[in-house]
Amino acid sequence: MTGAPPSTDLTKDSMMPPNEKARDRRTLALLATSAAAFAMLQTLVSPVLSAIQQQLGTTHETVSWVLIAYLLAAAVATPVLGKIGDLVAKDRALRIALSTLALGCLVAALAPNVTVLLVGRVLQGCGGAVFPLSFGIVRDEFPPNRVPTAIGVLSGVLGLGGGIGLGMAYATLTSLVVQAVPATQTGTVSGMNANIRTIGGAVGTALVTAIVTADPQATGSPKESGFVAGVLTLALMATAATMLCQLVPASRQGRLPRPKARCAFRRT
């Protein structure tokens, strides 16, 4: 009896020139590093919010905007730069997003007060466009059989900032979106996918902050019951989201068409 034929994906990978494989690995490493910078900034300040509050002399409500402003800026910039990437060039839009992110880090690091810090966080939030732009570059530059794996790697980077479960869920949804839309709309549609998640994060942050700080102690610190109520609220929201995901129709299996127009990412 003849053995089973080798996997199509493995056959295609073995036929790729070594220089193409190395170039794809370098591209993916660069995109993953860019995505990791944004993902870590998303929750990097959470453990030190109390220290920021004390050093800048602000309140619990005001310091919560250090997270909210970041998410709201990402909600606006992500679909806008994703669309620009589809219309002009994804690599140029990616440079804009990363430059704005770097400028925001500089402003936030030198902030003398909470107002300047919020400005820096807004600039950092504009870096959220690295995700849809990276997905678009992967769609344009990688062989169709390797696109889902590369998207999974980039989405998994979210686990650095938002938890492993969030990274897995985002990887699944993004892979479904990228495979279902035309190549010329990858940045726009995946940007809206990231945008919805970001808006939800901003609304959830504001909601839980209001619940936790609704009934403070005499010292001004939140009571333990506030944290319990916040966790229960998040648990209910996660349960509702899981139930809604069951309504998503199964994706059609198919090959990703190789786009005719390639971005200038490799030529730079």
Side-chain angles (χ1 to χ4, degrees):
M1 179 183 294
T2 351
S7 167
T8 308
D9 290 352
L10 293 177
T11 304
K12 289 179 181 177
D13 285 345
S14 61
M15 293 173 61
M16 287 181 62
N19 60 333
E20 289 253 344
K21 291 183 181 180
R23 186 163 50 187
D24 284 348
R25 285 195 293 267
R26 288 195 299 268
T27 300
L28 182 59
L30 176 60
L31 296 177
T33 302
S34 303
F38 175 80
M40 287 188 292
L41 285 172
Q42 183 170 334
T43 53
L44 194 64
V45 299
S46 297
V48 294
L49 283 179
S50 58
I52 293 175
Q53 177 189 346
Q54 293 176 1
Q55 290 185 8
L56 299 183
T58 185
T59 62
H60 283 291
E61 292 77 11
T62 304
V63 81
S64 68
W65 278 93
V66 173
L67 291 177
I68 298 172
Y70 180 82
L71 295 173
L72 289 177
V76 174
T78 297
V80 172
L81 286 177
K83 182 65 175 178
I84 291 174
D86 285 335
L87 294 177
V88 185
K90 296 181 179 68
D91 60 318
R92 294 177 185 175
L94 181 63
R95 291 191 189 100
I96 294 173
L98 291 176
S99 299
T100 309
L101 178 65
L103 177 61
C105 291
L106 179 62
V107 172
L110 301 177
N113 53 58
V114 71
T115 303
V116 177
L117 176 60
L118 291 177
V119 172
R121 289 292 286 173
V122 168
L123 293 173
Q124 290 176 357
C126 295
V130 300
F131 281 100
L133 294 171
S134 296
F135 297 142
I137 290 172
V138 166
R139 173 75 178 266
D140 291 349
E141 298 295 326
F142 281 55
N145 62 301
R146 301 187 65 187
V147 168
T149 302
I151 289 175
V153 171
L154 291 175
S155 302
V157 170
L158 275 176
L160 296 174
I164 296 176
L166 176 60
M168 293 174 62
Y170 189 53
T172 305
L173 289 173
T174 305
S175 183
L176 177 65
V177 167
V178 169
Q179 295 185 65
V181 301
T184 54
Q185 299 177 6
T186 307
T188 305
V189 179
S190 59
M192 288 305 300
N193 178 38
N195 193 26
I196 293 171
R197 179 189 63 84
T198 304
I199 291 174
V203 173
T205 300
L207 175 63
V208 173
T209 300
I211 293 174
V212 171
T213 60
D215 186 20
Q217 304 178 46
T219 59
S221 301
K223 293 181 180 178
E224 183 178 344
S225 59
F227 290 101
V228 173
V231 171
L232 290 176
T233 302
L234 290 176
L236 290 174
M237 294 171 67
T239 303
T242 303
M243 295 175 65
L244 288 174
C245 285
Q246 306 305 314
L247 302 177
V248 177
S251 62
R252 293 177 296 178
Q253 296 296 324
R255 293 169 54 83
L256 289 170
R258 190 78 175 201
K260 294 181 181 178
R262 298 165 68 85
C263 74
F265 187 75
R266 287 181 173 176
R267 296 195 294 272
T268 57

